[in-house]
Amino acid sequence: MSPSSQIKIKSKQPNLQKSIFSVMSALAISEKAINLSQGFPDFPCHPKLVELLHKYAKAGHNQYAPMPGIPVLRERIAEKVEDLYGAKYNPETEITITAGATEALYAAITTIVHPGDEVIVFEPWYDAYIPTIEYSGGRVITIPLELPDFHIDWAKVNKAVSAKTKAIILNSPHNPTGAILSAEDIEQLVAIVKNSSIMLISDEVYEHIIFDGQAHQSLAKYKELAERSFVIGSFGKTFHATGWKVGYCLAPRELMAEFQKIHQFITFSVNTPAQYAYAAFLLEKDYYLELAGFYQKKRDLFLKLMDTSRFEPLACTGTYFQLMGYKNISEENDLEFTRRLTVEHKIASIPTSVFYKAGIDNKIVRFCFAKKDETLEQAAELLCRI
Ligand SMILES: Cc1ncc(COP(=O)(O)O)c(C=O)c1O
């Protein structure tokens, strides 16, 4: 159907293209390629979680949840965050359940960014941040992470901070690079924000997927950071249930009160039986505490299988993404290369240049290894032939 000739829609996001994740997943389907592009598991979530969802739906928990989320789930999150990071969040006033981390990011950014505000974002970035900052009238200040390990150059951050800096967005473990924040990074961050009004939005959706004995540096752990932060998590990533779209946000009371004003008119509340199911499932801590070991095995398997390929792996300390350089294989730009990889070699991946403002092409692609071992074996066999 075409719109009426009287209807002229003025785009609020004139330069925004369809997300690369939708593009590559659609191409993977049409090309019958193995999909190592979008970040979701091809194995089921725990059957007990599905049973719990069924149990609570059958028991009649099918009406609106309270706007901030059901109390028992907020209490369980408060307990978990205190256990892991020693942080005390009041479940009544400082925790909100959201429709995935995506909604929490949108609500946090729109809560604080006013026209003219500057927000510092590291590139390559997870692609949900920039459109929302711009939509809110904010100005994005990008700082490139330093190759080959994608660390933050704090001198560059210091230089980028101005009187207009409203917030810095952090993401650790980091998508797409697999880099993590270290204790030294935290010290640098503390030094930069102390005595300032800069707020922090910390995307920690991969908090439990961290390797080689490293500890996750949640901003919740550091009082001087937590008191100016929105800390965002996602059960989709932790419990292999990305389609349930349940996440949460932690923030000090006054920040959370403003956050909830935005949240209440995006979704109002999040699906009720899934909240009950997660509240019960969170009691069994092993499910999330063993996640790092589970994914480290997958990372190591994928790297071993790729040993004889001409791709060059970069360090991956967290998340379920492995970056690989392809300079030895092709001089094509990464958009052409990933397209050809999907069409000709039947493996879908993600180009990384799309996560840079200036489209910097480092000839690096991202593979998702949250896949069954058989999927990784089949994919590596095809990749090793290239
Ligand atoms: C870094 C990062 N943040 C947020 C999200 C969105 O999480 P959710 O599916 O819970 O909305 C993703 C999903 O891929 C992600 O990788």
Side-chain angles (χ1 to χ4, degrees):
M1 189 196 299
S2 305
S4 152
S5 57
Q6 290 155 315
I7 300 297
K8 299 272 175 280
I9 183 148
K10 187 170 173 222
S11 177
K12 289 200 167 179
Q13 300 279 5
N15 303 318
L16 195 63
Q17 308 288 325
K18 205 187 236 183
S19 147
I20 191 70
F21 305 115
S22 309
V23 172
M24 292 313 291
S25 277
L27 191 63
I29 291 169
S30 69
E31 291 298 325
K32 299 191 171 49
I34 298 176
N35 190 359
L36 302 191
S37 62
Q38 203 172 355
F40 61 87
D42 71 344
F43 45 84
C45 65
H46 200 291
K48 186 163 175 199
L49 194 54
V50 178
E51 279 163 25
L52 286 166
L53 181 70
H54 188 213
K55 174 179 154 183
Y56 287 108
K58 256 175 85 181
H61 294 287
N62 297 306
Q63 306 309 328
Y64 293 127
M67 181 272 281
I70 60 167
V72 63
L73 180 56
R74 286 181 279 137
E75 280 155 24
R76 297 271 150 81
I77 293 170
E79 283 157 20
K80 174 173 179 277
V81 173
E82 187 168 3
D83 267 12
L84 293 176
Y85 309 125
K88 280 195 195 301
Y89 284 91
N90 182 336
E92 279 179 26
T93 52
E94 300 183 320
I95 299 178
T96 301
I97 311 302
T98 57
T102 308
E103 194 226 336
L105 286 164
Y106 185 89
I109 294 169
T110 45
T111 295
I112 60 175
V113 177
H114 290 257
D117 287 344
E118 293 182 356
V119 180
I120 294 178
V121 180
F122 299 98
E123 55 179 5
W125 53 61
Y126 175 63
D127 66 350
Y129 313 140
I130 308 273
T132 314
I133 298 167
E134 290 177 344
Y135 178 73
S136 304
R139 202 170 146 235
V140 178
I141 308 292
T142 56
I143 299 183
L145 295 169
E146 305 290 319
L147 272 71
D149 59 355
F150 294 96
H151 67 271
I152 295 174
D153 179 342
W154 289 100
K156 286 189 180 160
V157 183
N158 234 329
K159 227 168 127 190
V161 165
S162 77
K164 290 189 185 156
T165 307
K166 178 55 69 75
I168 303 175
I169 300 189
L170 294 129
N171 170 213
S172 178
H174 183 262
N175 177 8
T177 69
I180 58 165
L181 286 178
S182 65
E184 293 75 49
D185 288 317
I186 298 290
E187 274 175 31
Q188 300 274 1
L189 181 60
V190 169
I192 286 176
V193 299
K194 82 167 178 228
N195 304 325
S196 83
S197 58
I198 297 172
M199 286 186 254
L200 302 168
I201 296 176
S202 188
D203 178 348
E204 302 185 12
V205 302
Y206 300 102
E207 69 183 311
H208 297 297
I209 310 178
I210 188 154
F211 310 134
D212 308 320
Q214 301 282 340
H216 172 55
Q217 300 295 343
S218 175
L219 297 203
K221 210 161 131 183
Y222 300 92
K223 191 175 168 296
E224 59 276 57
L225 298 178
E227 63 192 19
R228 57 177 74 232
S229 297
F230 295 87
V231 175
I232 292 169
S234 169
F235 294 124
K237 304 293 179 184
T238 301
F239 296 122
H240 315 309
T242 57
W244 288 22
K245 294 298 294 187
V246 183
Y248 58 90
C249 182
L250 317 169
R253 186 191 185 110
E254 288 75 10
L255 301 190
M256 188 48 83
E258 290 303 314
F259 176 99
Q260 288 182 351
K261 290 182 191 170
I262 303 287
H263 161 76
Q264 70 179 335
F265 294 120
I266 303 176
T267 58
F268 184 74
S269 63
V270 174
N271 85 76
T272 310
Q275 291 193 54
Y276 278 102
Y278 279 133
F281 206 61
L282 276 175
L283 288 173
E284 305 195 42
K285 297 180 183 176
D286 285 352
Y287 291 132
Y288 55 86
L289 295 178
E290 288 173 1
L291 197 64
F294 171 81
Y295 274 122
Q296 184 166 324
K297 273 200 203 126
K298 293 216 174 276
R299 178 201 63 174
D300 293 348
L301 173 70
F302 186 50
L303 287 175
K304 188 159 164 270
L305 292 166
M306 290 291 285
D307 208 28
T308 57
S309 90
R310 290 195 289 154
F311 285 91
E312 293 176 305
L314 282 88
C316 163
T317 321
T319 74
Y320 43 52
F321 303 114
Q322 176 65 55
L323 292 186
M324 297 240 176
Y326 64 88
K327 277 198 187 105
N328 292 338
I329 299 173
S330 168
E331 286 179 0
E332 288 159 290
N333 69 45
D334 64 0
L335 288 164
E336 285 164 8
F337 182 72
T338 47
R339 169 162 271 281
R340 197 166 63 77
L341 205 59
T342 316
V343 174
E344 286 180 19
H345 299 283
K346 303 298 173 196
I347 304 287
S349 58
I350 294 286
T352 54
S353 63
V354 294
F355 306 128
Y356 285 89
K357 204 174 195 175
I360 295 170
D361 175 21
N362 293 307
K363 311 247 175 289
I364 291 172
V365 295
R366 192 198 79 172
F367 295 109
C368 171
F369 57 81
K371 305 292 165 190
K372 294 180 209 145
D373 290 357
E374 307 92 271
T375 311
L376 295 176
E377 281 157 14
Q378 285 163 12
E381 195 185 323
L382 295 172
L383 290 167
C384 286
R385 281 193 217 146
I386 300 169

